Amino acid sequence: MKMLSKLKYVSIIFCGVSIMSCAQSKKEIIPETYVAHKTSETIIIDGKANESEWKKAKWTNNFIDIEGVKTPKYQTNVKMLWDENYYYILAEMKEPHIWADITKRDEVIFYNNDFEVFIEPDGDTHNYYELEINALNTAWDLFISKPYRESDGVILNDWNFTGLKSAISINGTLNNSGDTDKSWTLEIAIPFKDLRTLYKQDNVPRDKFWRVNFSRVNWDHDIKDGKYSRKKGKDGKYLHEYNWVWSSTGVINMHLPENWGYVYFSTKNVESNDSFTIPKDDKIKRELYNLYRKQKSHFKKNKLWLSIDKLSSTEIKVDGKTIIPELKFHETGWNLMTKSPFTQKVLIIKEDGKFISK
């Protein structure tokens, strides 16, 4: 019962956010990209990142607020590497007050300031992974079958990264309200085998990309008797948290995998400066998801699906090519689809939001 009640509560938090933020920002959301190079160096997970490969790897752009319109109060950056066994992530967070008090795994970690990782390996927006870690190195890891916008999604709170490695170093002092800190650094190694969907599957993404995002949750705080806590307003309720992310989703909702960034796992070494360009079919996919969200939002308000001429009333162009979407209804729902003029593949979004390319 405890697990079920917690999952229900977590679902309410995120679904409520999703409902309030169902309208996408009018500002066009262009996902961030990053090339994670393969390393031959042994990476020791100690939070210090002393290895030469870490020193050579590039930092991401500074994090932005989740809606993509404000500059966060404190700077956050990430580096990434990989080898045949692990996906390595290094996060550095500027923070003058480093505190945490949640010590039990799989508690609601974002009630502390935390760092969060979201990984969607195959690009269909379903079956993705979430990891949250606070400054005490306490983890909360989840498997999510569908984004929260789909009411039949499943959240597996008892699912774990069984081979996860993580460590933290602090430039300052943890939970000491008497001084001013500078930053905390989190180093993570996520085993590829923990992300397998088939027994002994070779899922190492050599020269492939995954959809990934990172979030930093930060709270205004109070200090009482030398101890930190989340700040409350005059009404006695906790003030809203700040959500700072690598790749903006356009709304206050992290659970939009189609808007996450792209991490390309290059087999070249870190000095090669390999590059990555978002595939043209993924640009079409982005346009289809705009229509998908419009369709779902209209049904939520009116209990009626739009026809394709009303759903797509203006011409859609991607890199100079006209995209002609189709909407096909069937006994168990509908499919939104189009044929790519670039690859000739048929790109499909099902009624439950799952993306298919064939």
Side-chain angles (χ1 to χ4, degrees), residues 32-36 54 57-64 75-81 87 89-92 115 212-214 245-247 261-263:
E32 293 285 333
T33 63
Y34 186 92
V35 176
W54 273 137
K58 294 181 179 178
W59 289 107
T60 62
N61 292 333
N62 293 343
F63 279 29
I64 187 69
Q75 184 177 328
T76 310
N77 301 93
V78 168
K79 290 184 178 185
M80 289 168 262
L81 293 168
Y87 174 24
I89 299 165
L90 182 72
E92 182 180 80
F115 183 80
V212 173
N213 214 345
F214 305 105
V245 303
W246 171 48
S247 194
Y262 291 78
V263 175

PDB file of all heavy atoms in Angstrom, residues 32-36 54 57-64 75-81 87 89-92 115 212-214 245-247 261-263:
ATOM      1  N   GLU A  32      18.581  20.411 -27.653  1.00  0.00           N
ATOM      2  CA  GLU A  32      20.038  20.474 -27.555  1.00  0.00           C
ATOM      3  C   GLU A  32      20.641  19.169 -28.088  1.00  0.00           C
ATOM      4  O   GLU A  32      19.981  18.126 -28.117  1.00  0.00           O
ATOM      5  CB  GLU A  32      20.464  20.671 -26.107  1.00  0.00           C
ATOM      6  CG  GLU A  32      20.080  22.009 -25.497  1.00  0.00           C
ATOM      7  CD  GLU A  32      20.947  23.150 -25.994  1.00  0.00           C
ATOM      8  OE1 GLU A  32      22.113  22.880 -26.384  1.00  0.00           O
ATOM      9  OE2 GLU A  32      20.485  24.295 -25.986  1.00  0.00           O
ATOM     10  N   THR A  33      21.898  19.244 -28.499  1.00  0.00           N
ATOM     11  CA  THR A  33      22.617  18.043 -28.952  1.00  0.00           C
ATOM     12  C   THR A  33      23.981  17.975 -28.269  1.00  0.00           C
ATOM     13  O   THR A  33      24.550  19.005 -27.890  1.00  0.00           O
ATOM     14  CB  THR A  33      22.827  18.053 -30.484  1.00  0.00           C
ATOM     15  OG1 THR A  33      23.655  19.159 -30.844  1.00  0.00           O
ATOM     16  CG2 THR A  33      21.503  18.147 -31.219  1.00  0.00           C
ATOM     17  N   TYR A  34      24.484  16.752 -28.111  1.00  0.00           N
ATOM     18  CA  TYR A  34      25.794  16.555 -27.491  1.00  0.00           C
ATOM     19  C   TYR A  34      26.403  15.284 -28.063  1.00  0.00           C
ATOM     20  O   TYR A  34      25.718  14.272 -28.238  1.00  0.00           O
ATOM     21  CB  TYR A  34      25.656  16.416 -25.974  1.00  0.00           C
ATOM     22  CG  TYR A  34      26.978  16.360 -25.235  1.00  0.00           C
ATOM     23  CD1 TYR A  34      27.568  17.515 -24.745  1.00  0.00           C
ATOM     24  CD2 TYR A  34      27.629  15.148 -25.018  1.00  0.00           C
ATOM     25  CE1 TYR A  34      28.785  17.472 -24.060  1.00  0.00           C
ATOM     26  CE2 TYR A  34      28.837  15.090 -24.340  1.00  0.00           C
ATOM     27  CZ  TYR A  34      29.418  16.256 -23.869  1.00  0.00           C
ATOM     28  OH  TYR A  34      30.610  16.216 -23.196  1.00  0.00           O
ATOM     29  N   VAL A  35      27.691  15.344 -28.356  1.00  0.00           N
ATOM     30  CA  VAL A  35      28.429  14.164 -28.812  1.00  0.00           C
ATOM     31  C   VAL A  35      29.207  13.606 -27.629  1.00  0.00           C
ATOM     32  O   VAL A  35      30.125  14.250 -27.110  1.00  0.00           O
ATOM     33  CB  VAL A  35      29.379  14.503 -29.970  1.00  0.00           C
ATOM     34  CG1 VAL A  35      30.195  13.269 -30.362  1.00  0.00           C
ATOM     35  CG2 VAL A  35      28.593  15.021 -31.178  1.00  0.00           C
ATOM     36  N   ALA A  36      28.810  12.420 -27.182  1.00  0.00           N
ATOM     37  CA  ALA A  36      29.527  11.714 -26.116  1.00  0.00           C
ATOM     38  C   ALA A  36      30.544  10.791 -26.771  1.00  0.00           C
ATOM     39  O   ALA A  36      30.180   9.887 -27.519  1.00  0.00           O
ATOM     40  CB  ALA A  36      28.557  10.917 -25.263  1.00  0.00           C
ATOM     41  N   TRP A  54      37.978  13.099 -18.978  1.00  0.00           N
ATOM     42  CA  TRP A  54      37.005  14.069 -18.471  1.00  0.00           C
ATOM     43  C   TRP A  54      37.483  15.492 -18.721  1.00  0.00           C
ATOM     44  O   TRP A  54      36.696  16.385 -19.054  1.00  0.00           O
ATOM     45  CB  TRP A  54      36.773  13.866 -16.976  1.00  0.00           C
ATOM     46  CG  TRP A  54      35.720  12.875 -16.578  1.00  0.00           C
ATOM     47  CD1 TRP A  54      35.812  11.950 -15.588  1.00  0.00           C
ATOM     48  CD2 TRP A  54      34.395  12.723 -17.108  1.00  0.00           C
ATOM     49  NE1 TRP A  54      34.648  11.228 -15.477  1.00  0.00           N
ATOM     50  CE2 TRP A  54      33.752  11.688 -16.405  1.00  0.00           C
ATOM     51  CE3 TRP A  54      33.691  13.373 -18.124  1.00  0.00           C
ATOM     52  CZ2 TRP A  54      32.446  11.277 -16.664  1.00  0.00           C
ATOM     53  CZ3 TRP A  54      32.386  12.959 -18.390  1.00  0.00           C
ATOM     54  CH2 TRP A  54      31.777  11.925 -17.674  1.00  0.00           C
ATOM     55  N   ALA A  57      36.767  16.285 -22.413  1.00  0.00           N
ATOM     56  CA  ALA A  57      35.362  16.323 -22.830  1.00  0.00           C
ATOM     57  C   ALA A  57      34.794  17.730 -22.671  1.00  0.00           C
ATOM     58  O   ALA A  57      35.181  18.478 -21.761  1.00  0.00           O
ATOM     59  CB  ALA A  57      34.543  15.323 -22.019  1.00  0.00           C
ATOM     60  N   LYS A  58      33.868  18.076 -23.543  1.00  0.00           N
ATOM     61  CA  LYS A  58      33.277  19.418 -23.521  1.00  0.00           C
ATOM     62  C   LYS A  58      32.081  19.469 -22.571  1.00  0.00           C
ATOM     63  O   LYS A  58      31.348  18.499 -22.411  1.00  0.00           O
ATOM     64  CB  LYS A  58      32.816  19.801 -24.927  1.00  0.00           C
ATOM     65  CG  LYS A  58      33.947  19.964 -25.929  1.00  0.00           C
ATOM     66  CD  LYS A  58      33.397  20.371 -27.288  1.00  0.00           C
ATOM     67  CE  LYS A  58      34.521  20.558 -28.308  1.00  0.00           C
ATOM     68  NZ  LYS A  58      34.004  20.918 -29.653  1.00  0.00           N
ATOM     69  N   TRP A  59      31.894  20.642 -21.975  1.00  0.00           N
ATOM     70  CA  TRP A  59      30.701  20.882 -21.179  1.00  0.00           C
ATOM     71  C   TRP A  59      29.525  21.182 -22.105  1.00  0.00           C
ATOM     72  O   TRP A  59      29.691  21.713 -23.195  1.00  0.00           O
ATOM     73  CB  TRP A  59      30.903  22.077 -20.245  1.00  0.00           C
ATOM     74  CG  TRP A  59      31.845  21.860 -19.110  1.00  0.00           C
ATOM     75  CD1 TRP A  59      33.101  22.371 -18.975  1.00  0.00           C
ATOM     76  CD2 TRP A  59      31.624  21.074 -17.931  1.00  0.00           C
ATOM     77  NE1 TRP A  59      33.676  21.960 -17.789  1.00  0.00           N
ATOM     78  CE2 TRP A  59      32.782  21.163 -17.130  1.00  0.00           C
ATOM     79  CE3 TRP A  59      30.554  20.306 -17.469  1.00  0.00           C
ATOM     80  CZ2 TRP A  59      32.897  20.511 -15.896  1.00  0.00           C
ATOM     81  CZ3 TRP A  59      30.665  19.658 -16.240  1.00  0.00           C
ATOM     82  CH2 TRP A  59      31.823  19.765 -15.472  1.00  0.00           C
ATOM     83  N   THR A  60      28.343  20.833 -21.651  1.00  0.00           N
ATOM     84  CA  THR A  60      27.140  21.264 -22.354  1.00  0.00           C
ATOM     85  C   THR A  60      26.988  22.775 -22.218  1.00  0.00           C
ATOM     86  O   THR A  60      27.679  23.420 -21.419  1.00  0.00           O
ATOM     87  CB  THR A  60      25.881  20.619 -21.757  1.00  0.00           C
ATOM     88  OG1 THR A  60      25.759  21.038 -20.383  1.00  0.00           O
ATOM     89  CG2 THR A  60      25.931  19.107 -21.838  1.00  0.00           C
ATOM     90  N   ASN A  61      26.055  23.328 -22.964  1.00  0.00           N
ATOM     91  CA  ASN A  61      25.645  24.703 -22.723  1.00  0.00           C
ATOM     92  C   ASN A  61      25.079  24.810 -21.312  1.00  0.00           C
ATOM     93  O   ASN A  61      24.655  23.812 -20.708  1.00  0.00           O
ATOM     94  CB  ASN A  61      24.569  25.121 -23.732  1.00  0.00           C
ATOM     95  CG  ASN A  61      25.106  25.229 -25.139  1.00  0.00           C
ATOM     96  OD1 ASN A  61      26.291  25.479 -25.347  1.00  0.00           O
ATOM     97  ND2 ASN A  61      24.240  25.037 -26.125  1.00  0.00           N
ATOM     98  N   ASN A  62      25.060  26.020 -20.780  1.00  0.00           N
ATOM     99  CA  ASN A  62      24.449  26.241 -19.473  1.00  0.00           C
ATOM    100  C   ASN A  62      22.990  25.800 -19.493  1.00  0.00           C
ATOM    101  O   ASN A  62      22.288  25.974 -20.495  1.00  0.00           O
ATOM    102  CB  ASN A  62      24.508  27.718 -19.086  1.00  0.00           C
ATOM    103  CG  ASN A  62      25.923  28.207 -18.854  1.00  0.00           C
ATOM    104  OD1 ASN A  62      26.846  27.418 -18.671  1.00  0.00           O
ATOM    105  ND2 ASN A  62      26.100  29.517 -18.852  1.00  0.00           N
ATOM    106  N   PHE A  63      22.541  25.239 -18.385  1.00  0.00           N
ATOM    107  CA  PHE A  63      21.131  24.874 -18.285  1.00  0.00           C
ATOM    108  C   PHE A  63      20.256  26.123 -18.381  1.00  0.00           C
ATOM    109  O   PHE A  63      20.669  27.225 -18.001  1.00  0.00           O
ATOM    110  CB  PHE A  63      20.857  24.162 -16.961  1.00  0.00           C
ATOM    111  CG  PHE A  63      21.213  22.701 -16.959  1.00  0.00           C
ATOM    112  CD1 PHE A  63      22.225  22.192 -17.770  1.00  0.00           C
ATOM    113  CD2 PHE A  63      20.542  21.809 -16.139  1.00  0.00           C
ATOM    114  CE1 PHE A  63      22.556  20.843 -17.766  1.00  0.00           C
ATOM    115  CE2 PHE A  63      20.858  20.457 -16.119  1.00  0.00           C
ATOM    116  CZ  PHE A  63      21.869  19.971 -16.936  1.00  0.00           C
ATOM    117  N   ILE A  64      19.032  25.919 -18.877  1.00  0.00           N
ATOM    118  CA  ILE A  64      18.037  26.971 -18.987  1.00  0.00           C
ATOM    119  C   ILE A  64      16.839  26.562 -18.139  1.00  0.00           C
ATOM    120  O   ILE A  64      16.726  25.399 -17.738  1.00  0.00           O
ATOM    121  CB  ILE A  64      17.633  27.191 -20.476  1.00  0.00           C
ATOM    122  CG1 ILE A  64      16.720  28.414 -20.640  1.00  0.00           C
ATOM    123  CG2 ILE A  64      16.952  25.938 -21.022  1.00  0.00           C
ATOM    124  CD1 ILE A  64      17.415  29.722 -20.392  1.00  0.00           C
ATOM    125  N   GLN A  75      24.335  28.285 -12.072  1.00  0.00           N
ATOM    126  CA  GLN A  75      24.784  27.620 -13.305  1.00  0.00           C
ATOM    127  C   GLN A  75      24.883  26.105 -13.129  1.00  0.00           C
ATOM    128  O   GLN A  75      25.293  25.603 -12.086  1.00  0.00           O
ATOM    129  CB  GLN A  75      26.144  28.180 -13.718  1.00  0.00           C
ATOM    130  CG  GLN A  75      26.697  27.648 -15.035  1.00  0.00           C
ATOM    131  CD  GLN A  75      28.013  28.302 -15.402  1.00  0.00           C
ATOM    132  OE1 GLN A  75      28.256  29.466 -15.086  1.00  0.00           O
ATOM    133  NE2 GLN A  75      28.870  27.534 -16.067  1.00  0.00           N
ATOM    134  N   THR A  76      24.525  25.386 -14.199  1.00  0.00           N
ATOM    135  CA  THR A  76      24.639  23.930 -14.239  1.00  0.00           C
ATOM    136  C   THR A  76      25.176  23.513 -15.601  1.00  0.00           C
ATOM    137  O   THR A  76      24.740  24.035 -16.627  1.00  0.00           O
ATOM    138  CB  THR A  76      23.270  23.248 -14.026  1.00  0.00           C
ATOM    139  OG1 THR A  76      22.636  23.801 -12.872  1.00  0.00           O
ATOM    140  CG2 THR A  76      23.433  21.741 -13.873  1.00  0.00           C
ATOM    141  N   ASN A  77      26.116  22.562 -15.612  1.00  0.00           N
ATOM    142  CA  ASN A  77      26.667  22.032 -16.857  1.00  0.00           C
ATOM    143  C   ASN A  77      26.928  20.538 -16.707  1.00  0.00           C
ATOM    144  O   ASN A  77      27.103  20.040 -15.598  1.00  0.00           O
ATOM    145  CB  ASN A  77      27.974  22.738 -17.237  1.00  0.00           C
ATOM    146  CG  ASN A  77      27.809  24.223 -17.413  1.00  0.00           C
ATOM    147  OD1 ASN A  77      28.015  24.983 -16.474  1.00  0.00           O
ATOM    148  ND2 ASN A  77      27.426  24.650 -18.597  1.00  0.00           N
ATOM    149  N   VAL A  78      26.996  19.841 -17.839  1.00  0.00           N
ATOM    150  CA  VAL A  78      27.190  18.393 -17.851  1.00  0.00           C
ATOM    151  C   VAL A  78      28.237  18.016 -18.888  1.00  0.00           C
ATOM    152  O   VAL A  78      28.357  18.678 -19.928  1.00  0.00           O
ATOM    153  CB  VAL A  78      25.857  17.672 -18.159  1.00  0.00           C
ATOM    154  CG1 VAL A  78      26.070  16.194 -18.460  1.00  0.00           C
ATOM    155  CG2 VAL A  78      24.875  17.834 -17.004  1.00  0.00           C
ATOM    156  N   LYS A  79      28.984  16.957 -18.611  1.00  0.00           N
ATOM    157  CA  LYS A  79      29.845  16.294 -19.592  1.00  0.00           C
ATOM    158  C   LYS A  79      29.402  14.841 -19.695  1.00  0.00           C
ATOM    159  O   LYS A  79      28.836  14.282 -18.744  1.00  0.00           O
ATOM    160  CB  LYS A  79      31.316  16.325 -19.161  1.00  0.00           C
ATOM    161  CG  LYS A  79      31.984  17.679 -19.200  1.00  0.00           C
ATOM    162  CD  LYS A  79      33.468  17.545 -18.835  1.00  0.00           C
ATOM    163  CE  LYS A  79      34.173  18.899 -18.910  1.00  0.00           C
ATOM    164  NZ  LYS A  79      35.638  18.761 -18.677  1.00  0.00           N
ATOM    165  N   MET A  80      29.707  14.200 -20.827  1.00  0.00           N
ATOM    166  CA  MET A  80      29.357  12.795 -21.017  1.00  0.00           C
ATOM    167  C   MET A  80      30.468  12.045 -21.739  1.00  0.00           C
ATOM    168  O   MET A  80      31.139  12.599 -22.605  1.00  0.00           O
ATOM    169  CB  MET A  80      28.058  12.672 -21.817  1.00  0.00           C
ATOM    170  CG  MET A  80      26.811  13.088 -21.059  1.00  0.00           C
ATOM    171  SD  MET A  80      25.363  13.265 -22.136  1.00  0.00           S
ATOM    172  CE  MET A  80      25.350  15.049 -22.413  1.00  0.00           C
ATOM    173  N   LEU A  81      30.635  10.788 -21.385  1.00  0.00           N
ATOM    174  CA  LEU A  81      31.533   9.833 -22.046  1.00  0.00           C
ATOM    175  C   LEU A  81      30.837   8.470 -22.023  1.00  0.00           C
ATOM    176  O   LEU A  81      29.797   8.313 -21.391  1.00  0.00           O
ATOM    177  CB  LEU A  81      32.873   9.730 -21.309  1.00  0.00           C
ATOM    178  CG  LEU A  81      33.799  10.948 -21.300  1.00  0.00           C
ATOM    179  CD1 LEU A  81      34.926  10.742 -20.282  1.00  0.00           C
ATOM    180  CD2 LEU A  81      34.382  11.216 -22.683  1.00  0.00           C
ATOM    181  N   TYR A  87      27.522   4.272 -19.498  1.00  0.00           N
ATOM    182  CA  TYR A  87      27.239   5.633 -19.942  1.00  0.00           C
ATOM    183  C   TYR A  87      27.615   6.532 -18.769  1.00  0.00           C
ATOM    184  O   TYR A  87      27.032   6.436 -17.689  1.00  0.00           O
ATOM    185  CB  TYR A  87      25.762   5.740 -20.295  1.00  0.00           C
ATOM    186  CG  TYR A  87      25.223   7.111 -20.640  1.00  0.00           C
ATOM    187  CD1 TYR A  87      26.041   8.144 -21.112  1.00  0.00           C
ATOM    188  CD2 TYR A  87      23.859   7.376 -20.525  1.00  0.00           C
ATOM    189  CE1 TYR A  87      25.520   9.378 -21.430  1.00  0.00           C
ATOM    190  CE2 TYR A  87      23.323   8.608 -20.855  1.00  0.00           C
ATOM    191  CZ  TYR A  87      24.156   9.606 -21.301  1.00  0.00           C
ATOM    192  OH  TYR A  87      23.632  10.838 -21.634  1.00  0.00           O
ATOM    193  N   ILE A  89      28.186  10.183 -16.859  1.00  0.00           N
ATOM    194  CA  ILE A  89      27.626  11.532 -16.793  1.00  0.00           C
ATOM    195  C   ILE A  89      28.300  12.280 -15.652  1.00  0.00           C
ATOM    196  O   ILE A  89      28.417  11.760 -14.536  1.00  0.00           O
ATOM    197  CB  ILE A  89      26.106  11.481 -16.562  1.00  0.00           C
ATOM    198  CG1 ILE A  89      25.405  10.757 -17.718  1.00  0.00           C
ATOM    199  CG2 ILE A  89      25.535  12.887 -16.395  1.00  0.00           C
ATOM    200  CD1 ILE A  89      23.982  10.338 -17.407  1.00  0.00           C
ATOM    201  N   LEU A  90      28.745  13.484 -15.934  1.00  0.00           N
ATOM    202  CA  LEU A  90      29.367  14.345 -14.935  1.00  0.00           C
ATOM    203  C   LEU A  90      28.593  15.660 -14.893  1.00  0.00           C
ATOM    204  O   LEU A  90      28.474  16.344 -15.915  1.00  0.00           O
ATOM    205  CB  LEU A  90      30.827  14.608 -15.289  1.00  0.00           C
ATOM    206  CG  LEU A  90      31.621  15.467 -14.311  1.00  0.00           C
ATOM    207  CD1 LEU A  90      31.902  14.682 -13.028  1.00  0.00           C
ATOM    208  CD2 LEU A  90      32.931  15.935 -14.949  1.00  0.00           C
ATOM    209  N   ALA A  91      28.052  16.002 -13.752  1.00  0.00           N
ATOM    210  CA  ALA A  91      27.272  17.232 -13.599  1.00  0.00           C
ATOM    211  C   ALA A  91      27.917  18.131 -12.559  1.00  0.00           C
ATOM    212  O   ALA A  91      28.294  17.674 -11.480  1.00  0.00           O
ATOM    213  CB  ALA A  91      25.844  16.905 -13.185  1.00  0.00           C
ATOM    214  N   GLU A  92      28.045  19.410 -12.904  1.00  0.00           N
ATOM    215  CA  GLU A  92      28.571  20.392 -11.951  1.00  0.00           C
ATOM    216  C   GLU A  92      27.514  21.457 -11.709  1.00  0.00           C
ATOM    217  O   GLU A  92      27.016  22.067 -12.651  1.00  0.00           O
ATOM    218  CB  GLU A  92      29.850  21.042 -12.473  1.00  0.00           C
ATOM    219  CG  GLU A  92      30.460  22.028 -11.481  1.00  0.00           C
ATOM    220  CD  GLU A  92      31.738  22.670 -12.002  1.00  0.00           C
ATOM    221  OE1 GLU A  92      31.627  23.618 -12.803  1.00  0.00           O
ATOM    222  OE2 GLU A  92      32.819  22.214 -11.616  1.00  0.00           O
ATOM    223  N   PHE A 115      19.648  16.353  -8.823  1.00  0.00           N
ATOM    224  CA  PHE A 115      19.986  16.279 -10.240  1.00  0.00           C
ATOM    225  C   PHE A 115      19.280  15.067 -10.818  1.00  0.00           C
ATOM    226  O   PHE A 115      19.269  13.994 -10.195  1.00  0.00           O
ATOM    227  CB  PHE A 115      21.503  16.151 -10.444  1.00  0.00           C
ATOM    228  CG  PHE A 115      21.901  16.155 -11.896  1.00  0.00           C
ATOM    229  CD1 PHE A 115      21.984  17.345 -12.595  1.00  0.00           C
ATOM    230  CD2 PHE A 115      22.176  14.970 -12.564  1.00  0.00           C
ATOM    231  CE1 PHE A 115      22.333  17.355 -13.936  1.00  0.00           C
ATOM    232  CE2 PHE A 115      22.527  14.968 -13.899  1.00  0.00           C
ATOM    233  CZ  PHE A 115      22.600  16.177 -14.599  1.00  0.00           C
ATOM    234  N   VAL A 212      17.747  12.102 -24.530  1.00  0.00           N
ATOM    235  CA  VAL A 212      18.186  12.241 -23.135  1.00  0.00           C
ATOM    236  C   VAL A 212      17.867  13.656 -22.661  1.00  0.00           C
ATOM    237  O   VAL A 212      17.876  14.608 -23.449  1.00  0.00           O
ATOM    238  CB  VAL A 212      19.713  11.985 -23.026  1.00  0.00           C
ATOM    239  CG1 VAL A 212      20.227  12.297 -21.622  1.00  0.00           C
ATOM    240  CG2 VAL A 212      20.056  10.543 -23.409  1.00  0.00           C
ATOM    241  N   ASN A 213      17.605  13.790 -21.388  1.00  0.00           N
ATOM    242  CA  ASN A 213      17.514  15.127 -20.808  1.00  0.00           C
ATOM    243  C   ASN A 213      17.992  15.085 -19.364  1.00  0.00           C
ATOM    244  O   ASN A 213      18.065  14.011 -18.749  1.00  0.00           O
ATOM    245  CB  ASN A 213      16.094  15.690 -20.877  1.00  0.00           C
ATOM    246  CG  ASN A 213      16.089  17.207 -21.078  1.00  0.00           C
ATOM    247  OD1 ASN A 213      17.118  17.873 -20.890  1.00  0.00           O
ATOM    248  ND2 ASN A 213      14.951  17.749 -21.462  1.00  0.00           N
ATOM    249  N   PHE A 214      18.338  16.251 -18.865  1.00  0.00           N
ATOM    250  CA  PHE A 214      18.783  16.405 -17.487  1.00  0.00           C
ATOM    251  C   PHE A 214      18.017  17.554 -16.856  1.00  0.00           C
ATOM    252  O   PHE A 214      17.741  18.562 -17.507  1.00  0.00           O
ATOM    253  CB  PHE A 214      20.280  16.713 -17.420  1.00  0.00           C
ATOM    254  CG  PHE A 214      21.147  15.713 -18.140  1.00  0.00           C
ATOM    255  CD1 PHE A 214      21.725  16.031 -19.357  1.00  0.00           C
ATOM    256  CD2 PHE A 214      21.373  14.455 -17.602  1.00  0.00           C
ATOM    257  CE1 PHE A 214      22.526  15.115 -20.028  1.00  0.00           C
ATOM    258  CE2 PHE A 214      22.164  13.535 -18.268  1.00  0.00           C
ATOM    259  CZ  PHE A 214      22.744  13.862 -19.484  1.00  0.00           C
ATOM    260  N   VAL A 245      16.965  22.910 -16.756  1.00  0.00           N
ATOM    261  CA  VAL A 245      17.166  21.726 -17.593  1.00  0.00           C
ATOM    262  C   VAL A 245      18.232  21.978 -18.651  1.00  0.00           C
ATOM    263  O   VAL A 245      18.566  23.116 -18.983  1.00  0.00           O
ATOM    264  CB  VAL A 245      15.843  21.315 -18.279  1.00  0.00           C
ATOM    265  CG1 VAL A 245      14.761  21.073 -17.248  1.00  0.00           C
ATOM    266  CG2 VAL A 245      15.384  22.352 -19.298  1.00  0.00           C
ATOM    267  N   TRP A 246      18.733  20.864 -19.194  1.00  0.00           N
ATOM    268  CA  TRP A 246      19.681  20.954 -20.315  1.00  0.00           C
ATOM    269  C   TRP A 246      18.949  21.355 -21.594  1.00  0.00           C
ATOM    270  O   TRP A 246      19.305  22.326 -22.257  1.00  0.00           O
ATOM    271  CB  TRP A 246      20.385  19.604 -20.500  1.00  0.00           C
ATOM    272  CG  TRP A 246      21.220  19.525 -21.751  1.00  0.00           C
ATOM    273  CD1 TRP A 246      22.124  20.442 -22.190  1.00  0.00           C
ATOM    274  CD2 TRP A 246      21.223  18.472 -22.726  1.00  0.00           C
ATOM    275  NE1 TRP A 246      22.696  20.025 -23.385  1.00  0.00           N
ATOM    276  CE2 TRP A 246      22.163  18.822 -23.719  1.00  0.00           C
ATOM    277  CE3 TRP A 246      20.538  17.266 -22.830  1.00  0.00           C
ATOM    278  CZ2 TRP A 246      22.416  18.003 -24.829  1.00  0.00           C
ATOM    279  CZ3 TRP A 246      20.802  16.440 -23.921  1.00  0.00           C
ATOM    280  CH2 TRP A 246      21.733  16.823 -24.908  1.00  0.00           C
ATOM    281  N   SER A 247      17.888  20.633 -21.931  1.00  0.00           N
ATOM    282  CA  SER A 247      17.145  20.899 -23.162  1.00  0.00           C
ATOM    283  C   SER A 247      15.709  21.242 -22.797  1.00  0.00           C
ATOM    284  O   SER A 247      14.970  20.403 -22.279  1.00  0.00           O
ATOM    285  CB  SER A 247      17.193  19.671 -24.081  1.00  0.00           C
ATOM    286  OG  SER A 247      16.770  19.989 -25.386  1.00  0.00           O
ATOM    287  N   GLY A 261      16.742  16.308 -25.426  1.00  0.00           N
ATOM    288  CA  GLY A 261      17.930  16.499 -26.246  1.00  0.00           C
ATOM    289  C   GLY A 261      18.382  15.206 -26.918  1.00  0.00           C
ATOM    290  O   GLY A 261      17.826  14.124 -26.696  1.00  0.00           O
ATOM    291  N   TYR A 262      19.408  15.354 -27.762  1.00  0.00           N
ATOM    292  CA  TYR A 262      19.995  14.221 -28.483  1.00  0.00           C
ATOM    293  C   TYR A 262      21.424  14.000 -27.995  1.00  0.00           C
ATOM    294  O   TYR A 262      22.240  14.928 -28.029  1.00  0.00           O
ATOM    295  CB  TYR A 262      20.043  14.503 -29.984  1.00  0.00           C
ATOM    296  CG  TYR A 262      18.706  14.547 -30.674  1.00  0.00           C
ATOM    297  CD1 TYR A 262      17.882  15.663 -30.570  1.00  0.00           C
ATOM    298  CD2 TYR A 262      18.257  13.478 -31.454  1.00  0.00           C
ATOM    299  CE1 TYR A 262      16.657  15.721 -31.213  1.00  0.00           C
ATOM    300  CE2 TYR A 262      17.035  13.525 -32.107  1.00  0.00           C
ATOM    301  CZ  TYR A 262      16.243  14.644 -31.987  1.00  0.00           C
ATOM    302  OH  TYR A 262      15.028  14.691 -32.620  1.00  0.00           O
ATOM    303  N   VAL A 263      21.711  12.785 -27.554  1.00  0.00           N
ATOM    304  CA  VAL A 263      23.085  12.413 -27.213  1.00  0.00           C
ATOM    305  C   VAL A 263      23.545  11.390 -28.238  1.00  0.00           C
ATOM    306  O   VAL A 263      22.968  10.307 -28.353  1.00  0.00           O
ATOM    307  CB  VAL A 263      23.195  11.843 -25.790  1.00  0.00           C
ATOM    308  CG1 VAL A 263      24.618  11.357 -25.533  1.00  0.00           C
ATOM    309  CG2 VAL A 263      22.814  12.910 -24.763  1.00  0.00           C
TER     310      VAL A 263
END
